[in-house]
């Protein structure tokens, strides 16, 4: 049974959230994740806050940035500092809402609960920004 991974980004000006679900978190999936906003917003500078995961520093990522990454600016967080990464607040919200202290009868039940949460945050961008500490 495959494990599911998720890469996420939040557009701070409007609170829209993009979740990229995958079975593996590797350099290829991270590059796919970068290409999505680049295609949608080719003329905008995008600032991404990243942790020190290997996939964020991989040789393929550096090559991508050299070739077509002038629209990206990466801010790398110091090691062991998840409290500085706003997206960690989204993961905590997810866990507190659909995983912690909840009995799920099977894997499908967990997936349904996560899907509900994803739909919920897509409909409430203002609440997402408040939870991430990005709104007044």
């Amino acid at each position: 049974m495959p494990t599911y991974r998720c890469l996420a980004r939040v557009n701070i000006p409007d609170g829209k959230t993009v979740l990229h679900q995958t079975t593996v978190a590797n350099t290829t999936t991270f590059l796919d994740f970068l290409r999505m906003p680049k295609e949608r917003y080719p003329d905008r500078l995008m600032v991404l806050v990243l942790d020190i995961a290997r996939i964020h520093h991989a040789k393929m990522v550096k090559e991508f940035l050299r070739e077509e990454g002038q629209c990206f600016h990466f801010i790398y967080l110091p090691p062991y500092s998840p409290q500085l990464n706003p997206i960690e607040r989204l993961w905590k919200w997810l866990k507190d809402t659909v995983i912690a202290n909840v009995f799920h009868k099977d894997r499908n039940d967990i997936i349904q609960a996560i899907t509900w949460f994803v739909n919920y945050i897509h409909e409430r961008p203002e609440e997402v920004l408040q939870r991430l500490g990005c709104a007044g």
Side-chain angles (χ1 to χ4, degrees):
M1 192 176 303
T3 358
Y4 289 92
R5 306 276 189 237
C6 192
L7 302 170
R9 69 179 182 275
V10 176
N11 187 9
I12 297 303
D14 63 15
K16 291 183 180 175
T17 306
V18 175
L19 296 151
H20 181 64
Q21 296 178 8
T22 181
T23 54
V24 293
N26 60 25
T27 305
T28 303
T29 56
F30 181 60
L31 289 173
D32 291 342
F33 181 70
L34 292 177
R35 286 184 184 102
M36 289 186 297
K38 186 177 186 307
E39 289 171 8
R40 185 169 181 167
Y41 307 108
D43 300 325
R44 291 193 186 163
L45 174 65
M46 289 166 267
V47 178
L48 280 80
V49 177
L50 303 169
D51 59 23
I52 60 165
R54 285 184 182 171
I55 64 173
H56 300 154
H57 297 275
K59 183 178 177 182
M60 287 171 52
V61 172
K62 290 176 184 173
E63 290 170 4
F64 170 83
L65 292 174
R66 261 194 311 277
E67 293 172 15
E68 49 185 306
Q70 59 276 11
C71 63
F72 291 103
H73 177 72
F74 289 176
I75 297 174
Y76 292 103
L77 296 174
Y80 308 106
S81 59
Q83 74 282 2
L84 299 177
N85 192 344
I87 206 70
E88 293 295 338
R89 295 178 199 124
L90 181 74
W91 300 136
K92 182 179 183 331
W93 184 16
L94 166 71
K95 291 174 190 172
D96 290 349
T97 303
V98 299
I99 297 173
N101 299 316
V102 177
F103 175 77
H104 294 283
K105 62 184 177 193
D106 57 26
R107 181 187 170 99
N108 189 48
D109 192 39
I110 295 170
I111 291 170
Q112 286 179 341
I114 292 170
T115 300
W116 171 87
F117 179 80
V118 168
N119 291 333
Y120 180 90
I121 65 172
H122 283 300
E123 295 171 4
R124 293 167 179 81
E126 309 84 23
E127 187 175 353
V128 170
L129 291 175
Q130 287 176 334
R131 292 279 189 144
L132 298 184
C134 300

